[in-house]
Amino acid sequence: MERISWDQYFMAQSHLLALRSTCTRLMVGATIVRDKRIIAGGYNGSVSGSVHCIDEGCYVIDGHCVRTIHAEANALLQCAKFGVATEGADIYVTHFPCLQCCKQLIQAGIRTVYYAEDYHNHPYAISLFAEANVAIKKVKLDYLLVDTNYREKQQLIEELLEKLEQNNVKTNEIERLKSEAIHLFQIKCKGE
């Protein structure tokens, strides 16, 4: 059995953290790692004990939800709260950091930012990362690596598509279903 890579492992952790997000505009998760060990995690949400976006909606000023603390900031604050050094650590984030988080990551001594999705990648943030010698690397999460039932799902979809073909379902409908299955499950159907 082949093990999941470190990048995929930590990025999966960030996606899992994002599921705790309380902001309805974008769910973001962040994992801070040093020496292949998770030292903190965060997600975007409101100040502890305060109202959450999922309860009363986002509080938007100038196009930004000001109710939430970003995932990266929450992870850094967790380190500060518990006295964990961030100098030389890496961070895995579900989305490219905003300009403010970029500056905080640089100041905290983060050396590499791994992100899964582009999100308003600000040119100044990219410039600041380069100036500070902070590497930025895109690491898309391979969802199949964290799905423990992907083989069974693939087999089921292949069987269903085969039965549809045997029952003379319209070719264009089968092709649409195949396309959707490939998109959702990232599988290869028989004959491809």
Side-chain angles (χ1 to χ4, degrees), residues 132-171:
N133 293 318
V134 174
I136 49 175
K137 298 179 181 179
K138 190 169 185 177
V139 176
K140 222 160 158 43
L141 178 65
D142 182 348
Y143 290 94
L144 291 181
L145 292 175
V146 293
D147 182 350
T148 58
N149 295 314
Y150 77 92
R151 286 187 181 96
E152 293 84 356
K153 289 177 184 177
Q154 179 176 348
Q155 184 178 354
L156 174 66
I157 295 298
E158 288 175 355
E159 288 175 21
L160 288 171
L161 290 171
E162 194 173 302
K163 287 189 187 296
L164 288 172
E165 285 178 3
Q166 290 170 357
N167 288 316
N168 296 322
V169 174
K170 293 178 187 173
T171 305

Short mmCIF file of all heavy atoms in Angstrom, two decimals, residues 132-171:
data_model
loop_
_atom_site.label_atom_id
_atom_site.label_comp_id
_atom_site.label_asym_id
_atom_site.label_seq_id
_atom_site.Cartn_x
_atom_site.Cartn_y
_atom_site.Cartn_z
N ALA A 132 10.57 38.46 1.08
CA ALA A 132 10.90 37.86 2.37
C ALA A 132 11.45 36.44 2.24
O ALA A 132 11.66 35.75 3.24
CB ALA A 132 9.66 37.85 3.26
N ASN A 133 11.65 35.98 0.99
CA ASN A 133 12.12 34.62 0.72
C ASN A 133 11.20 33.55 1.29
O ASN A 133 11.65 32.50 1.77
CB ASN A 133 13.55 34.41 1.23
CG ASN A 133 14.55 35.23 0.45
OD1 ASN A 133 14.46 35.31 -0.78
ND2 ASN A 133 15.47 35.87 1.15
N VAL A 134 9.91 33.83 1.24
CA VAL A 134 8.90 32.84 1.63
C VAL A 134 8.44 32.15 0.35
O VAL A 134 7.93 32.81 -0.56
CB VAL A 134 7.70 33.50 2.35
CG1 VAL A 134 6.60 32.47 2.61
CG2 VAL A 134 8.15 34.15 3.66
N ALA A 135 8.64 30.86 0.28
CA ALA A 135 8.23 30.10 -0.91
C ALA A 135 6.71 29.94 -0.89
O ALA A 135 6.11 29.75 0.17
CB ALA A 135 8.91 28.73 -0.91
N ILE A 136 6.11 30.03 -2.07
CA ILE A 136 4.67 29.75 -2.19
C ILE A 136 4.52 28.63 -3.21
O ILE A 136 5.08 28.68 -4.30
CB ILE A 136 3.86 31.00 -2.59
CG1 ILE A 136 4.45 31.73 -3.79
CG2 ILE A 136 3.71 31.95 -1.43
CD1 ILE A 136 3.61 32.90 -4.28
N LYS A 137 3.78 27.59 -2.80
CA LYS A 137 3.63 26.41 -3.65
C LYS A 137 2.18 25.97 -3.66
O LYS A 137 1.56 25.83 -2.60
CB LYS A 137 4.50 25.27 -3.13
CG LYS A 137 5.98 25.58 -3.14
CD LYS A 137 6.80 24.44 -2.60
CE LYS A 137 8.28 24.81 -2.60
NZ LYS A 137 9.12 23.77 -2.08
N LYS A 138 1.67 25.76 -4.86
CA LYS A 138 0.30 25.28 -4.99
C LYS A 138 0.29 23.76 -4.87
O LYS A 138 1.02 23.07 -5.57
CB LYS A 138 -0.29 25.72 -6.34
CG LYS A 138 -1.77 25.46 -6.44
CD LYS A 138 -2.36 26.14 -7.65
CE LYS A 138 -3.86 25.98 -7.66
NZ LYS A 138 -4.47 26.70 -8.79
N VAL A 139 -0.52 23.26 -3.95
CA VAL A 139 -0.67 21.82 -3.72
C VAL A 139 -2.16 21.52 -3.70
O VAL A 139 -2.84 21.72 -2.70
CB VAL A 139 -0.05 21.38 -2.37
CG1 VAL A 139 -0.30 19.91 -2.11
CG2 VAL A 139 1.43 21.68 -2.33
N LYS A 140 -2.67 21.09 -4.85
CA LYS A 140 -4.09 20.76 -4.91
C LYS A 140 -4.33 19.45 -4.18
O LYS A 140 -3.58 18.50 -4.34
CB LYS A 140 -4.51 20.64 -6.37
CG LYS A 140 -5.83 21.29 -6.61
CD LYS A 140 -6.04 21.59 -8.06
CE LYS A 140 -7.49 21.74 -8.38
NZ LYS A 140 -8.28 22.50 -7.44
N LEU A 141 -5.37 19.43 -3.36
CA LEU A 141 -5.69 18.21 -2.63
C LEU A 141 -6.27 17.17 -3.58
O LEU A 141 -7.20 17.46 -4.34
CB LEU A 141 -6.70 18.50 -1.51
CG LEU A 141 -7.16 17.29 -0.70
CD1 LEU A 141 -6.00 16.67 0.07
CD2 LEU A 141 -8.28 17.67 0.25
N ASP A 142 -5.72 15.97 -3.56
CA ASP A 142 -6.27 14.85 -4.31
C ASP A 142 -7.27 14.16 -3.39
O ASP A 142 -6.90 13.42 -2.49
CB ASP A 142 -5.15 13.88 -4.72
CG ASP A 142 -5.65 12.72 -5.55
OD1 ASP A 142 -6.89 12.50 -5.64
OD2 ASP A 142 -4.81 12.00 -6.12
N TYR A 143 -8.54 14.45 -3.60
CA TYR A 143 -9.59 13.97 -2.70
C TYR A 143 -9.64 12.45 -2.63
O TYR A 143 -10.04 11.90 -1.61
CB TYR A 143 -10.95 14.54 -3.11
CG TYR A 143 -11.06 16.01 -2.85
CD1 TYR A 143 -10.75 16.94 -3.83
CD2 TYR A 143 -11.42 16.47 -1.59
CE1 TYR A 143 -10.82 18.29 -3.57
CE2 TYR A 143 -11.49 17.83 -1.33
CZ TYR A 143 -11.19 18.73 -2.32
OH TYR A 143 -11.25 20.06 -2.05
N LEU A 144 -9.22 11.78 -3.70
CA LEU A 144 -9.25 10.32 -3.67
C LEU A 144 -8.30 9.75 -2.62
O LEU A 144 -8.53 8.68 -2.08
CB LEU A 144 -8.93 9.74 -5.04
CG LEU A 144 -9.99 9.97 -6.11
CD1 LEU A 144 -9.55 9.33 -7.43
CD2 LEU A 144 -11.33 9.41 -5.68
N LEU A 145 -7.22 10.48 -2.35
CA LEU A 145 -6.27 9.99 -1.36
C LEU A 145 -6.83 9.99 0.05
O LEU A 145 -6.35 9.26 0.91
CB LEU A 145 -4.99 10.83 -1.40
CG LEU A 145 -4.15 10.70 -2.66
CD1 LEU A 145 -2.98 11.67 -2.63
CD2 LEU A 145 -3.64 9.27 -2.83
N VAL A 146 -7.84 10.82 0.30
CA VAL A 146 -8.41 10.87 1.65
C VAL A 146 -9.79 10.22 1.71
O VAL A 146 -10.45 10.24 2.73
CB VAL A 146 -8.48 12.33 2.17
CG1 VAL A 146 -7.08 12.88 2.39
CG2 VAL A 146 -9.28 13.23 1.26
N ASP A 147 -10.22 9.63 0.60
CA ASP A 147 -11.49 8.91 0.56
C ASP A 147 -11.19 7.42 0.74
O ASP A 147 -10.63 6.78 -0.13
CB ASP A 147 -12.18 9.15 -0.78
CG ASP A 147 -13.53 8.49 -0.89
OD1 ASP A 147 -13.89 7.67 0.00
OD2 ASP A 147 -14.24 8.78 -1.86
N THR A 148 -11.56 6.89 1.87
CA THR A 148 -11.23 5.49 2.17
C THR A 148 -12.09 4.50 1.40
O THR A 148 -11.81 3.31 1.41
CB THR A 148 -11.35 5.21 3.68
OG1 THR A 148 -12.69 5.51 4.10
CG2 THR A 148 -10.37 6.05 4.48
N ASN A 149 -13.12 4.97 0.71
CA ASN A 149 -14.00 4.08 -0.05
C ASN A 149 -13.96 4.35 -1.56
O ASN A 149 -14.86 3.96 -2.28
CB ASN A 149 -15.45 4.23 0.43
CG ASN A 149 -15.62 3.79 1.86
OD1 ASN A 149 -15.13 2.75 2.25
ND2 ASN A 149 -16.30 4.61 2.64
N TYR A 150 -12.91 5.00 -2.04
CA TYR A 150 -12.92 5.40 -3.44
C TYR A 150 -12.95 4.21 -4.39
O TYR A 150 -13.58 4.27 -5.44
CB TYR A 150 -11.75 6.34 -3.75
CG TYR A 150 -10.40 5.68 -3.89
CD1 TYR A 150 -9.94 5.25 -5.13
CD2 TYR A 150 -9.59 5.47 -2.78
CE1 TYR A 150 -8.70 4.65 -5.26
CE2 TYR A 150 -8.36 4.87 -2.91
CZ TYR A 150 -7.92 4.45 -4.15
OH TYR A 150 -6.71 3.84 -4.27
N ARG A 151 -12.29 3.11 -4.05
CA ARG A 151 -12.29 1.95 -4.95
C ARG A 151 -13.70 1.37 -5.09
O ARG A 151 -14.13 1.02 -6.19
CB ARG A 151 -11.32 0.89 -4.44
CG ARG A 151 -9.87 1.24 -4.65
CD ARG A 151 -8.93 0.09 -4.29
NE ARG A 151 -7.56 0.47 -4.47
CZ ARG A 151 -6.77 0.92 -3.49
NH1 ARG A 151 -7.23 1.03 -2.27
NH2 ARG A 151 -5.53 1.25 -3.74
N GLU A 152 -14.42 1.28 -3.97
CA GLU A 152 -15.78 0.77 -4.00
C GLU A 152 -16.69 1.70 -4.80
O GLU A 152 -17.54 1.25 -5.57
CB GLU A 152 -16.33 0.60 -2.58
CG GLU A 152 -15.63 -0.48 -1.77
CD GLU A 152 -14.34 -0.01 -1.08
OE1 GLU A 152 -13.91 1.16 -1.28
OE2 GLU A 152 -13.75 -0.82 -0.36
N LYS A 153 -16.50 3.01 -4.65
CA LYS A 153 -17.30 3.98 -5.40
C LYS A 153 -17.03 3.86 -6.89
O LYS A 153 -17.94 3.89 -7.71
CB LYS A 153 -17.00 5.40 -4.92
CG LYS A 153 -17.54 5.71 -3.55
CD LYS A 153 -17.14 7.11 -3.11
CE LYS A 153 -17.59 7.39 -1.70
NZ LYS A 153 -17.14 8.71 -1.24
N GLN A 154 -15.76 3.73 -7.23
CA GLN A 154 -15.39 3.60 -8.64
C GLN A 154 -16.02 2.36 -9.24
O GLN A 154 -16.60 2.40 -10.32
CB GLN A 154 -13.87 3.55 -8.79
CG GLN A 154 -13.43 3.40 -10.24
CD GLN A 154 -11.92 3.43 -10.38
OE1 GLN A 154 -11.21 3.78 -9.46
NE2 GLN A 154 -11.45 3.07 -11.55
N GLN A 155 -15.95 1.24 -8.52
CA GLN A 155 -16.52 -0.01 -9.01
C GLN A 155 -18.03 0.12 -9.19
O GLN A 155 -18.58 -0.31 -10.20
CB GLN A 155 -16.19 -1.15 -8.05
CG GLN A 155 -16.66 -2.50 -8.54
CD GLN A 155 -16.27 -3.62 -7.59
OE1 GLN A 155 -15.56 -3.42 -6.61
NE2 GLN A 155 -16.76 -4.80 -7.87
N LEU A 156 -18.72 0.74 -8.23
CA LEU A 156 -20.16 0.92 -8.32
C LEU A 156 -20.54 1.77 -9.52
O LEU A 156 -21.45 1.42 -10.28
CB LEU A 156 -20.69 1.56 -7.03
CG LEU A 156 -22.18 1.92 -7.05
CD1 LEU A 156 -23.03 0.66 -7.14
CD2 LEU A 156 -22.55 2.73 -5.82
N ILE A 157 -19.85 2.87 -9.73
CA ILE A 157 -20.14 3.75 -10.87
C ILE A 157 -19.92 3.01 -12.18
O ILE A 157 -20.74 3.09 -13.10
CB ILE A 157 -19.29 5.04 -10.80
CG1 ILE A 157 -19.66 5.87 -9.59
CG2 ILE A 157 -19.41 5.85 -12.09
CD1 ILE A 157 -21.09 6.37 -9.58
N GLU A 158 -18.83 2.26 -12.28
CA GLU A 158 -18.56 1.50 -13.50
C GLU A 158 -19.66 0.48 -13.76
O GLU A 158 -20.11 0.32 -14.90
CB GLU A 158 -17.20 0.82 -13.40
CG GLU A 158 -16.04 1.79 -13.52
CD GLU A 158 -14.69 1.12 -13.29
OE1 GLU A 158 -14.63 -0.08 -12.94
OE2 GLU A 158 -13.67 1.84 -13.45
N GLU A 159 -20.12 -0.21 -12.71
CA GLU A 159 -21.20 -1.19 -12.88
C GLU A 159 -22.50 -0.52 -13.31
O GLU A 159 -23.20 -1.02 -14.19
CB GLU A 159 -21.43 -1.95 -11.57
CG GLU A 159 -20.34 -2.94 -11.23
CD GLU A 159 -20.53 -3.59 -9.86
OE1 GLU A 159 -21.67 -3.60 -9.34
OE2 GLU A 159 -19.53 -4.09 -9.30
N LEU A 160 -22.81 0.62 -12.71
CA LEU A 160 -24.04 1.34 -13.07
C LEU A 160 -23.99 1.80 -14.53
O LEU A 160 -24.97 1.64 -15.26
CB LEU A 160 -24.24 2.54 -12.15
CG LEU A 160 -24.65 2.23 -10.71
CD1 LEU A 160 -24.61 3.49 -9.86
CD2 LEU A 160 -26.04 1.60 -10.67
N LEU A 161 -22.88 2.34 -14.95
CA LEU A 161 -22.76 2.80 -16.33
C LEU A 161 -22.84 1.63 -17.31
O LEU A 161 -23.45 1.74 -18.38
CB LEU A 161 -21.46 3.58 -16.51
CG LEU A 161 -21.41 4.95 -15.81
CD1 LEU A 161 -20.00 5.53 -15.87
CD2 LEU A 161 -22.42 5.91 -16.40
N GLU A 162 -22.25 0.52 -16.95
CA GLU A 162 -22.31 -0.67 -17.79
C GLU A 162 -23.74 -1.16 -17.94
O GLU A 162 -24.20 -1.50 -19.03
CB GLU A 162 -21.42 -1.77 -17.20
CG GLU A 162 -21.16 -2.91 -18.16
CD GLU A 162 -20.13 -3.88 -17.58
OE1 GLU A 162 -19.01 -3.44 -17.27
OE2 GLU A 162 -20.47 -5.07 -17.47
N LYS A 163 -24.49 -1.17 -16.85
CA LYS A 163 -25.89 -1.61 -16.89
C LYS A 163 -26.74 -0.67 -17.75
O LYS A 163 -27.64 -1.10 -18.47
CB LYS A 163 -26.47 -1.73 -15.49
CG LYS A 163 -25.94 -2.93 -14.73
CD LYS A 163 -26.70 -3.15 -13.44
CE LYS A 163 -26.09 -4.23 -12.59
NZ LYS A 163 -26.08 -5.56 -13.15
N LEU A 164 -26.45 0.63 -17.66
CA LEU A 164 -27.18 1.59 -18.48
C LEU A 164 -26.93 1.32 -19.96
O LEU A 164 -27.85 1.37 -20.78
CB LEU A 164 -26.76 3.02 -18.12
CG LEU A 164 -27.25 3.55 -16.79
CD1 LEU A 164 -26.59 4.90 -16.46
CD2 LEU A 164 -28.76 3.69 -16.77
N GLU A 165 -25.66 1.02 -20.31
CA GLU A 165 -25.34 0.70 -21.70
C GLU A 165 -26.06 -0.56 -22.15
O GLU A 165 -26.58 -0.63 -23.26
CB GLU A 165 -23.83 0.53 -21.86
CG GLU A 165 -23.06 1.82 -21.86
CD GLU A 165 -21.55 1.61 -21.97
OE1 GLU A 165 -21.09 0.46 -22.12
OE2 GLU A 165 -20.83 2.63 -21.91
N GLN A 166 -26.11 -1.58 -21.28
CA GLN A 166 -26.76 -2.85 -21.61
C GLN A 166 -28.27 -2.67 -21.80
O GLN A 166 -28.90 -3.38 -22.56
CB GLN A 166 -26.51 -3.89 -20.52
CG GLN A 166 -25.08 -4.36 -20.46
CD GLN A 166 -24.79 -5.21 -19.23
OE1 GLN A 166 -25.64 -5.40 -18.37
NE2 GLN A 166 -23.57 -5.72 -19.15
N ASN A 167 -28.85 -1.69 -21.12
CA ASN A 167 -30.30 -1.46 -21.20
C ASN A 167 -30.66 -0.41 -22.25
O ASN A 167 -31.76 0.15 -22.21
CB ASN A 167 -30.85 -1.06 -19.83
CG ASN A 167 -30.88 -2.24 -18.87
OD1 ASN A 167 -31.26 -3.34 -19.24
ND2 ASN A 167 -30.45 -2.00 -17.64
N ASN A 168 -29.73 -0.14 -23.14
CA ASN A 168 -29.95 0.76 -24.27
C ASN A 168 -30.41 2.16 -23.87
O ASN A 168 -31.27 2.75 -24.52
CB ASN A 168 -30.95 0.14 -25.25
CG ASN A 168 -30.40 -1.12 -25.88
OD1 ASN A 168 -29.21 -1.18 -26.19
ND2 ASN A 168 -31.24 -2.11 -26.06
N VAL A 169 -29.84 2.68 -22.82
CA VAL A 169 -30.10 4.07 -22.45
C VAL A 169 -29.43 4.93 -23.51
O VAL A 169 -28.38 4.56 -24.04
CB VAL A 169 -29.56 4.37 -21.02
CG1 VAL A 169 -29.70 5.84 -20.68
CG2 VAL A 169 -30.30 3.52 -20.00
N LYS A 170 -30.02 6.06 -23.83
CA LYS A 170 -29.50 6.93 -24.89
C LYS A 170 -28.02 7.22 -24.68
O LYS A 170 -27.58 7.51 -23.57
CB LYS A 170 -30.27 8.24 -24.92
CG LYS A 170 -31.71 8.09 -25.32
CD LYS A 170 -32.41 9.43 -25.28
CE LYS A 170 -33.88 9.26 -25.53
NZ LYS A 170 -34.61 10.50 -25.33
N THR A 171 -27.27 7.13 -25.76
CA THR A 171 -25.82 7.32 -25.73
C THR A 171 -25.44 8.68 -25.15
O THR A 171 -24.53 8.77 -24.32
CB THR A 171 -25.22 7.17 -27.14
OG1 THR A 171 -25.61 5.91 -27.67
CG2 THR A 171 -23.71 7.26 -27.10
#
